[in-house]
Amino acid sequence: MTDSKTDLLEPLDILYLEDDANDAELVRVEILQEGIACNLNRVSDRVSFLRCLDRGGIDLILADYAVPGFGGSAALELVRERDQEIPFIFVSGSMGEEMAVETLKSGATDYVLKERLTRLVPAMRRALQESRIRRERETAERALRASEQRLELALRGADLGLWDWDLPRQIAVVNRRWAEMLEYSLDEIEPRIDFWKCLLHPEDSSRVLLALDAHLKGETEAFETEYRLRTRSGGWKWVLNRGRVVLRDDAGQPLRATGTHLDITGRKQAEETNLQLEAQLRQAQKMEALGTLAGGIAHDFNNILGAIIGYTELVRLELPEAGQANRDLGEVLKAANRAKLLVEQILTFSRQQAHDLRPIKLPDVVQEAMQLLRSTLPSTIDVRMEIENGTPTILGDATQVHQIIMNLAANSAHALPDNGGLIEVSVRPAEVDEEMARGHADLQPGIYAVLSVRDTGHGIEAAIQQRIFDPFFTTKAPGLGTGLGLAVVHGIVRKHRGMIRVNSDPGQGTDIQIYFPATDRPAPESPAGPGRLAAGNGKRVLFVDDEVALAKVGCLMLTRMGFEVEMQTGSLDAWEAFAAAPDRFDLVITDQTMPKLTGLELAGRMLQLRPGLPIILVTGYHASASRERVHQAGIAEMVMKPYTIDSLGKVIHQVMQDGRSRSAAS
Ligand SMILES: Nc1ncnc2c1ncn2[C@@H]1O[C@H](COP(=O)(O)OP(=O)(O)OP(=O)(O)O)[C@@H](O)[C@H]1O
Ligand SMILES: [Mg+2]
């Protein structure tokens, strides 16, 4: 029905149920008299009534109550089945009050007695007016429902939770998504603003409340912040909250604020992972640079120490064993050996030292280290070992893994109070999944063997946890720590393609875990037995080193062992001497790093002339001379500088024995 019709500007279409033509005429006149244009369509039976009704376009229905064969009540029922709104007015001769009330209850709009027809038009006007208002309200409600639905769909599409805060009453209402984001159902959310405040992460709370306060005071345009909220199960979700005050009173006090929540946990986690990866990269680069620097210095130190240790040993052999001078030199040796250990640490850290990775069983290495630990650590410390079945074999350098354990255990021991505590070294298998691997630049998913050294010491403050792997970072007093222990561990672990995790609670203790990737290659059963010192028995050795001091020490050592030694300090000279009479020598010991011809090259030439000749290669640090390469080149063994008479002797013994068993076998 259009407004022009309800305003009676256009002719009304009226369906009129009336069997009495005279009455009908009276009604028509009454309407016309009031100046209302209309098409009055009179019917007197059910069939024609229904036909008109179903044709539609009717603005108003008038009906006599008592029509033979088809009463007004039946007509009303038919109409209301089809349309709740169309005005239906009874125009009736005699109608008791009771019946009138009854008709209104069953849906009639009004009733007018035929004796008082003057009431008819006002009743029509009112009915039309009311019906129009009802229709308008209905349309508005429909539109509102549609718009709410659109909003809900948009929120759902954008995955937004919604909140609406009534400030004076401190009531905050949220939508389902808001609740579900935090694992709640909607009815579990208490409609108080405090409920939200209590969910704020303690680290974010004051920042968020300050920002909110600033916005409420009108200092900021909007309230837009990222923070964590506690979920129902106690976890944390990152949300982006965007909102603003939408209503203020005349004094500017906020009355109502609304806004949305977006779950940004995924993005935050990715950001965090990226930050971690960047930090790891920076750390790796820093270590690399420091390693190169330290490695270079350590190399020179190594040669100097070689001379100090070598000559001291030799002088001691000349002196009476019981004398004071001998004892003093013993102290010199001790100090020099400490320096040597330090240089070894630096070289290991700088990754320059030749090493090789072969299949080893972590439990074997741990067991060996435990013996040393138990005998060196004070008895107040409870040293325990825990080895889990199924720990996989790893590709490693047993000596270096041993060093990791010693360095970590030393730190643990230092962290324990004087009255003791616990150090536990354990080994277990572990699987690294995709998610864990994503957080560590050096980590691939797969099976790992995890070595852990745990203590009940004073722990590491969060602020310095980042720095403990830095070379020369130490919290110990001068002379008590150089700060190289963990840098070395870090270097070794990198070489083993492993990963280090630090768990430390200040006051509670520290657990450092090292992940070594598993290998499929089987580990050999038992390690070789201890070597014995060689006895020269007049055999001839060619000794080559371009550093005269070291060459002299080496030769003196060999002479002590009973060898006949020929010394050469230039690799080309050495080659000429050898080539002149290749069969003259039973053994060649040569330095690797020499100008013109390296030890490896020299050895190569010699072996061409005399295949099977035992050659020992002496190396300081040289990444190119891995044990594997050396063996491939046919060289019997490799010795690290600085060596002692003892360590050199053992290697010579082993090489000569191997040589014998080789020639016996052939
Ligand atoms: N288990 C631990 N408990 C408490 N603090 C530790 C532990 N391990 C390492 N730290 C801290 O990390 C620092 C660095 O350790 P790192 O082993 O590199 O050097 P250091 O022990 O100080 O010296 P160095 O090992 O060269 O003798 C230590 O000074 C100490 O503050
Ligand atoms: Mg240490």
Short mmCIF file of all heavy atoms in Angstrom, two decimals, residues 49-94:
data_model
loop_
_atom_site.label_atom_id
_atom_site.label_comp_id
_atom_site.label_asym_id
_atom_site.label_seq_id
_atom_site.Cartn_x
_atom_site.Cartn_y
_atom_site.Cartn_z
N PHE A 49 -15.75 -13.74 -2.81
CA PHE A 49 -14.87 -13.09 -1.83
C PHE A 49 -13.43 -13.56 -2.02
O PHE A 49 -12.48 -12.77 -2.12
CB PHE A 49 -15.35 -13.41 -0.40
CG PHE A 49 -14.55 -12.73 0.67
CD1 PHE A 49 -14.82 -11.40 1.05
CD2 PHE A 49 -13.49 -13.39 1.31
CE1 PHE A 49 -14.07 -10.78 2.02
CE2 PHE A 49 -12.74 -12.76 2.29
CZ PHE A 49 -13.03 -11.46 2.65
N LEU A 50 -13.29 -14.90 -2.11
CA LEU A 50 -11.95 -15.46 -2.25
C LEU A 50 -11.28 -15.00 -3.54
O LEU A 50 -10.09 -14.69 -3.58
CB LEU A 50 -12.02 -16.99 -2.25
CG LEU A 50 -11.65 -17.64 -0.91
CD1 LEU A 50 -11.69 -19.16 -1.06
CD2 LEU A 50 -10.28 -17.19 -0.45
N ARG A 51 -12.10 -14.97 -4.63
CA ARG A 51 -11.52 -14.59 -5.92
C ARG A 51 -10.93 -13.19 -5.83
O ARG A 51 -9.80 -12.93 -6.23
CB ARG A 51 -12.60 -14.66 -7.04
CG ARG A 51 -11.96 -14.66 -8.42
CD ARG A 51 -12.99 -14.66 -9.54
NE ARG A 51 -14.07 -15.62 -9.37
CZ ARG A 51 -15.38 -15.28 -9.38
NH1 ARG A 51 -15.72 -14.03 -9.55
NH2 ARG A 51 -16.31 -16.20 -9.24
N CYS A 52 -11.73 -12.26 -5.26
CA CYS A 52 -11.24 -10.88 -5.12
C CYS A 52 -10.01 -10.80 -4.25
O CYS A 52 -9.03 -10.10 -4.56
CB CYS A 52 -12.33 -10.01 -4.48
SG CYS A 52 -13.54 -9.50 -5.67
N LEU A 53 -10.12 -11.54 -3.16
CA LEU A 53 -9.01 -11.51 -2.21
C LEU A 53 -7.71 -11.96 -2.90
O LEU A 53 -6.65 -11.34 -2.77
CB LEU A 53 -9.33 -12.43 -1.04
CG LEU A 53 -8.42 -12.33 0.18
CD1 LEU A 53 -8.50 -10.93 0.79
CD2 LEU A 53 -8.86 -13.37 1.24
N ASP A 54 -7.83 -13.08 -3.63
CA ASP A 54 -6.62 -13.64 -4.25
C ASP A 54 -6.13 -12.82 -5.42
O ASP A 54 -4.96 -12.93 -5.82
CB ASP A 54 -6.89 -15.09 -4.68
CG ASP A 54 -7.00 -15.99 -3.46
OD1 ASP A 54 -6.48 -15.57 -2.38
OD2 ASP A 54 -7.59 -17.08 -3.54
N ARG A 55 -7.04 -11.99 -6.00
CA ARG A 55 -6.57 -11.13 -7.09
C ARG A 55 -5.59 -10.08 -6.55
O ARG A 55 -4.72 -9.59 -7.24
CB ARG A 55 -7.78 -10.44 -7.76
CG ARG A 55 -7.50 -10.01 -9.19
CD ARG A 55 -8.70 -9.24 -9.77
NE ARG A 55 -9.93 -10.01 -9.75
CZ ARG A 55 -11.10 -9.54 -9.34
NH1 ARG A 55 -11.21 -8.30 -8.90
NH2 ARG A 55 -12.19 -10.28 -9.37
N GLY A 56 -5.77 -9.75 -5.25
CA GLY A 56 -4.82 -8.85 -4.61
C GLY A 56 -5.15 -7.38 -4.84
O GLY A 56 -6.21 -7.03 -5.39
N GLY A 57 -4.24 -6.51 -4.41
CA GLY A 57 -4.41 -5.06 -4.61
C GLY A 57 -5.48 -4.46 -3.72
O GLY A 57 -5.98 -3.36 -4.01
N ILE A 58 -5.85 -5.15 -2.68
CA ILE A 58 -6.92 -4.63 -1.82
C ILE A 58 -6.32 -3.83 -0.67
O ILE A 58 -5.37 -4.25 -0.03
CB ILE A 58 -7.76 -5.79 -1.27
CG1 ILE A 58 -8.54 -6.41 -2.43
CG2 ILE A 58 -8.73 -5.32 -0.17
CD1 ILE A 58 -9.09 -7.76 -2.13
N ASP A 59 -6.93 -2.65 -0.42
CA ASP A 59 -6.39 -1.79 0.62
C ASP A 59 -7.11 -1.98 1.95
O ASP A 59 -6.56 -1.73 3.01
CB ASP A 59 -6.52 -0.32 0.21
CG ASP A 59 -5.75 -0.04 -1.06
OD1 ASP A 59 -4.60 -0.54 -1.18
OD2 ASP A 59 -6.29 0.63 -1.96
N LEU A 60 -8.32 -2.43 1.88
CA LEU A 60 -9.12 -2.47 3.11
C LEU A 60 -10.28 -3.44 2.88
O LEU A 60 -10.79 -3.56 1.76
CB LEU A 60 -9.69 -1.06 3.37
CG LEU A 60 -10.49 -0.86 4.63
CD1 LEU A 60 -9.57 -0.41 5.75
CD2 LEU A 60 -11.59 0.20 4.43
N ILE A 61 -10.70 -4.12 3.97
CA ILE A 61 -11.84 -5.03 3.83
C ILE A 61 -12.93 -4.60 4.82
O ILE A 61 -12.67 -4.32 5.99
CB ILE A 61 -11.42 -6.48 4.11
CG1 ILE A 61 -10.43 -6.95 3.03
CG2 ILE A 61 -12.64 -7.41 4.13
CD1 ILE A 61 -9.74 -8.25 3.33
N LEU A 62 -14.14 -4.51 4.29
CA LEU A 62 -15.30 -4.28 5.15
C LEU A 62 -16.15 -5.54 5.07
O LEU A 62 -16.22 -6.18 4.02
CB LEU A 62 -16.12 -3.08 4.65
CG LEU A 62 -15.36 -1.74 4.56
CD1 LEU A 62 -16.27 -0.67 3.96
CD2 LEU A 62 -14.90 -1.30 5.94
N ALA A 63 -16.77 -5.92 6.19
CA ALA A 63 -17.58 -7.14 6.13
C ALA A 63 -18.75 -7.05 7.10
O ALA A 63 -18.59 -6.60 8.24
CB ALA A 63 -16.71 -8.34 6.46
N ASP A 64 -19.90 -7.50 6.59
CA ASP A 64 -21.05 -7.64 7.48
C ASP A 64 -20.80 -8.88 8.31
O ASP A 64 -20.10 -9.81 7.89
CB ASP A 64 -22.33 -7.79 6.63
CG ASP A 64 -23.57 -7.72 7.52
OD1 ASP A 64 -23.39 -7.46 8.74
OD2 ASP A 64 -24.67 -7.93 6.98
N TYR A 65 -21.36 -8.88 9.50
CA TYR A 65 -21.09 -10.03 10.34
C TYR A 65 -21.94 -11.22 9.95
O TYR A 65 -21.42 -12.34 9.82
CB TYR A 65 -21.32 -9.66 11.81
CG TYR A 65 -20.80 -10.71 12.74
CD1 TYR A 65 -19.42 -10.87 12.91
CD2 TYR A 65 -21.67 -11.61 13.39
CE1 TYR A 65 -18.92 -11.86 13.72
CE2 TYR A 65 -21.17 -12.61 14.21
CZ TYR A 65 -19.79 -12.72 14.38
OH TYR A 65 -19.30 -13.71 15.17
N ALA A 66 -23.24 -10.92 9.74
CA ALA A 66 -24.16 -12.01 9.43
C ALA A 66 -24.50 -12.03 7.95
O ALA A 66 -25.36 -11.30 7.50
CB ALA A 66 -25.44 -11.85 10.26
N VAL A 67 -23.77 -12.82 7.19
CA VAL A 67 -24.08 -13.00 5.78
C VAL A 67 -24.52 -14.45 5.61
O VAL A 67 -23.80 -15.36 6.03
CB VAL A 67 -22.86 -12.72 4.90
CG1 VAL A 67 -23.17 -12.96 3.43
CG2 VAL A 67 -22.34 -11.31 5.12
N PRO A 68 -25.65 -14.73 5.03
CA PRO A 68 -26.12 -16.11 4.94
C PRO A 68 -25.12 -16.99 4.16
O PRO A 68 -24.62 -16.58 3.11
CB PRO A 68 -27.44 -16.00 4.17
CG PRO A 68 -27.81 -14.56 4.20
CD PRO A 68 -26.58 -13.77 4.41
N GLY A 69 -24.85 -18.12 4.72
CA GLY A 69 -23.98 -19.09 4.01
C GLY A 69 -22.49 -18.81 4.20
O GLY A 69 -21.66 -19.69 4.03
N PHE A 70 -22.11 -17.59 4.53
CA PHE A 70 -20.67 -17.27 4.64
C PHE A 70 -20.54 -16.09 5.58
O PHE A 70 -20.67 -14.93 5.19
CB PHE A 70 -20.13 -16.94 3.24
CG PHE A 70 -18.65 -16.58 3.25
CD1 PHE A 70 -17.72 -17.42 3.88
CD2 PHE A 70 -18.20 -15.42 2.64
CE1 PHE A 70 -16.38 -17.07 3.87
CE2 PHE A 70 -16.86 -15.09 2.62
CZ PHE A 70 -15.94 -15.93 3.24
N GLY A 71 -20.32 -16.36 6.85
CA GLY A 71 -20.31 -15.31 7.85
C GLY A 71 -19.04 -14.47 7.80
O GLY A 71 -18.04 -14.84 7.17
N GLY A 72 -19.10 -13.29 8.43
CA GLY A 72 -17.93 -12.39 8.50
C GLY A 72 -16.74 -13.03 9.20
O GLY A 72 -15.59 -12.80 8.83
N SER A 73 -17.02 -13.91 10.21
CA SER A 73 -15.91 -14.53 10.94
C SER A 73 -15.11 -15.44 10.03
O SER A 73 -13.86 -15.46 10.06
CB SER A 73 -16.41 -15.38 12.11
OG SER A 73 -17.35 -14.67 12.83
N ALA A 74 -15.83 -16.20 9.20
CA ALA A 74 -15.14 -17.09 8.27
C ALA A 74 -14.28 -16.29 7.30
O ALA A 74 -13.14 -16.65 6.98
CB ALA A 74 -16.16 -17.93 7.49
N ALA A 75 -14.87 -15.13 6.86
CA ALA A 75 -14.11 -14.27 5.95
C ALA A 75 -12.83 -13.76 6.62
O ALA A 75 -11.74 -13.78 6.03
CB ALA A 75 -14.98 -13.08 5.50
N LEU A 76 -12.99 -13.34 7.88
CA LEU A 76 -11.83 -12.82 8.62
C LEU A 76 -10.73 -13.89 8.70
O LEU A 76 -9.54 -13.62 8.47
CB LEU A 76 -12.27 -12.41 10.04
CG LEU A 76 -11.14 -11.94 10.97
CD1 LEU A 76 -10.42 -10.73 10.40
CD2 LEU A 76 -11.69 -11.62 12.36
N GLU A 77 -11.17 -15.12 8.97
CA GLU A 77 -10.21 -16.19 9.08
C GLU A 77 -9.43 -16.37 7.78
O GLU A 77 -8.20 -16.48 7.79
CB GLU A 77 -10.96 -17.49 9.42
CG GLU A 77 -10.08 -18.49 10.12
CD GLU A 77 -10.93 -19.66 10.63
OE1 GLU A 77 -11.87 -19.41 11.44
OE2 GLU A 77 -10.69 -20.79 10.18
N LEU A 78 -10.19 -16.35 6.66
CA LEU A 78 -9.52 -16.51 5.35
C LEU A 78 -8.50 -15.40 5.11
O LEU A 78 -7.40 -15.62 4.61
CB LEU A 78 -10.57 -16.47 4.23
CG LEU A 78 -11.37 -17.75 4.03
CD1 LEU A 78 -12.44 -17.53 2.96
CD2 LEU A 78 -10.44 -18.89 3.63
N VAL A 79 -8.92 -14.17 5.46
CA VAL A 79 -8.04 -13.03 5.22
C VAL A 79 -6.74 -13.14 6.05
O VAL A 79 -5.63 -12.99 5.53
CB VAL A 79 -8.77 -11.71 5.55
CG1 VAL A 79 -7.79 -10.53 5.54
CG2 VAL A 79 -9.89 -11.46 4.54
N ARG A 80 -6.96 -13.44 7.34
CA ARG A 80 -5.77 -13.47 8.22
C ARG A 80 -4.80 -14.61 7.88
O ARG A 80 -3.61 -14.52 8.14
CB ARG A 80 -6.20 -13.57 9.68
CG ARG A 80 -6.76 -12.25 10.22
CD ARG A 80 -5.69 -11.15 10.24
NE ARG A 80 -6.26 -9.84 10.56
CZ ARG A 80 -6.29 -8.82 9.72
NH1 ARG A 80 -5.80 -8.96 8.48
NH2 ARG A 80 -6.83 -7.67 10.07
N GLU A 81 -5.34 -15.67 7.27
CA GLU A 81 -4.45 -16.73 6.80
C GLU A 81 -3.48 -16.21 5.76
O GLU A 81 -2.37 -16.67 5.62
CB GLU A 81 -5.27 -17.87 6.15
CG GLU A 81 -5.73 -18.91 7.12
CD GLU A 81 -6.74 -19.86 6.45
OE1 GLU A 81 -6.78 -19.90 5.21
OE2 GLU A 81 -7.47 -20.54 7.19
N ARG A 82 -3.99 -15.21 5.01
CA ARG A 82 -3.18 -14.72 3.89
C ARG A 82 -2.37 -13.49 4.25
O ARG A 82 -1.26 -13.29 3.78
CB ARG A 82 -4.10 -14.39 2.69
CG ARG A 82 -4.61 -15.62 2.00
CD ARG A 82 -5.82 -15.29 1.14
NE ARG A 82 -6.24 -16.45 0.35
CZ ARG A 82 -6.87 -17.51 0.86
NH1 ARG A 82 -7.13 -17.56 2.16
NH2 ARG A 82 -7.21 -18.51 0.08
N ASP A 83 -2.94 -12.62 5.04
CA ASP A 83 -2.28 -11.34 5.30
C ASP A 83 -2.64 -10.86 6.69
O ASP A 83 -3.80 -10.74 7.05
CB ASP A 83 -2.78 -10.32 4.24
CG ASP A 83 -1.99 -9.01 4.35
OD1 ASP A 83 -1.46 -8.71 5.43
OD2 ASP A 83 -1.92 -8.29 3.33
N GLN A 84 -1.62 -10.63 7.48
CA GLN A 84 -1.86 -10.22 8.87
C GLN A 84 -2.16 -8.73 8.97
O GLN A 84 -2.77 -8.29 9.93
CB GLN A 84 -0.63 -10.53 9.71
CG GLN A 84 -0.40 -12.00 9.99
CD GLN A 84 -1.48 -12.59 10.88
OE1 GLN A 84 -1.96 -11.94 11.82
NE2 GLN A 84 -1.92 -13.81 10.56
N GLU A 85 -1.78 -8.00 7.99
CA GLU A 85 -1.78 -6.55 8.13
C GLU A 85 -3.00 -5.85 7.55
O GLU A 85 -3.39 -4.78 8.01
CB GLU A 85 -0.52 -5.97 7.48
CG GLU A 85 0.73 -6.15 8.32
CD GLU A 85 0.52 -5.65 9.74
OE1 GLU A 85 -0.15 -4.60 9.92
OE2 GLU A 85 1.01 -6.31 10.67
N ILE A 86 -3.58 -6.42 6.50
CA ILE A 86 -4.65 -5.68 5.78
C ILE A 86 -5.80 -5.35 6.76
O ILE A 86 -6.27 -6.21 7.49
CB ILE A 86 -5.11 -6.53 4.57
CG1 ILE A 86 -6.07 -5.73 3.71
CG2 ILE A 86 -5.78 -7.81 5.01
CD1 ILE A 86 -6.23 -6.38 2.34
N PRO A 87 -6.20 -4.05 6.81
CA PRO A 87 -7.27 -3.66 7.77
C PRO A 87 -8.60 -4.36 7.43
O PRO A 87 -8.99 -4.44 6.27
CB PRO A 87 -7.39 -2.16 7.56
CG PRO A 87 -6.11 -1.74 6.92
CD PRO A 87 -5.68 -2.89 6.08
N PHE A 88 -9.23 -4.89 8.48
CA PHE A 88 -10.49 -5.62 8.33
C PHE A 88 -11.48 -5.04 9.33
O PHE A 88 -11.30 -5.13 10.54
CB PHE A 88 -10.24 -7.12 8.61
CG PHE A 88 -11.40 -8.02 8.29
CD1 PHE A 88 -11.33 -8.91 7.20
CD2 PHE A 88 -12.57 -8.01 9.05
CE1 PHE A 88 -12.39 -9.74 6.92
CE2 PHE A 88 -13.63 -8.83 8.74
CZ PHE A 88 -13.55 -9.72 7.68
N ILE A 89 -12.53 -4.40 8.80
CA ILE A 89 -13.50 -3.74 9.69
C ILE A 89 -14.87 -4.38 9.51
O ILE A 89 -15.35 -4.55 8.39
CB ILE A 89 -13.59 -2.23 9.37
CG1 ILE A 89 -12.19 -1.60 9.58
CG2 ILE A 89 -14.63 -1.54 10.24
CD1 ILE A 89 -12.11 -0.15 9.15
N PHE A 90 -15.43 -4.78 10.65
CA PHE A 90 -16.82 -5.29 10.60
C PHE A 90 -17.79 -4.12 10.53
O PHE A 90 -17.64 -3.15 11.28
CB PHE A 90 -17.13 -6.13 11.85
CG PHE A 90 -16.63 -7.55 11.75
CD1 PHE A 90 -15.55 -7.99 12.50
CD2 PHE A 90 -17.26 -8.45 10.86
CE1 PHE A 90 -15.11 -9.29 12.41
CE2 PHE A 90 -16.81 -9.75 10.76
CZ PHE A 90 -15.73 -10.18 11.53
N VAL A 91 -18.73 -4.23 9.59
CA VAL A 91 -19.81 -3.23 9.54
C VAL A 91 -21.08 -4.04 9.75
O VAL A 91 -21.49 -4.80 8.86
CB VAL A 91 -19.84 -2.51 8.18
CG1 VAL A 91 -20.90 -1.41 8.19
CG2 VAL A 91 -18.48 -1.94 7.87
N SER A 92 -21.67 -3.92 10.94
CA SER A 92 -22.68 -4.90 11.28
C SER A 92 -23.91 -4.24 11.88
O SER A 92 -23.81 -3.16 12.46
CB SER A 92 -22.07 -5.88 12.28
OG SER A 92 -23.03 -6.82 12.64
N GLY A 93 -25.04 -4.91 11.72
CA GLY A 93 -26.27 -4.37 12.27
C GLY A 93 -26.25 -4.46 13.77
O GLY A 93 -25.98 -3.49 14.48
N SER A 94 -26.41 -5.65 14.27
CA SER A 94 -26.45 -5.79 15.72
C SER A 94 -25.30 -6.66 16.15
O SER A 94 -25.07 -7.72 15.63
CB SER A 94 -27.78 -6.43 16.13
OG SER A 94 -27.90 -7.66 15.44
#
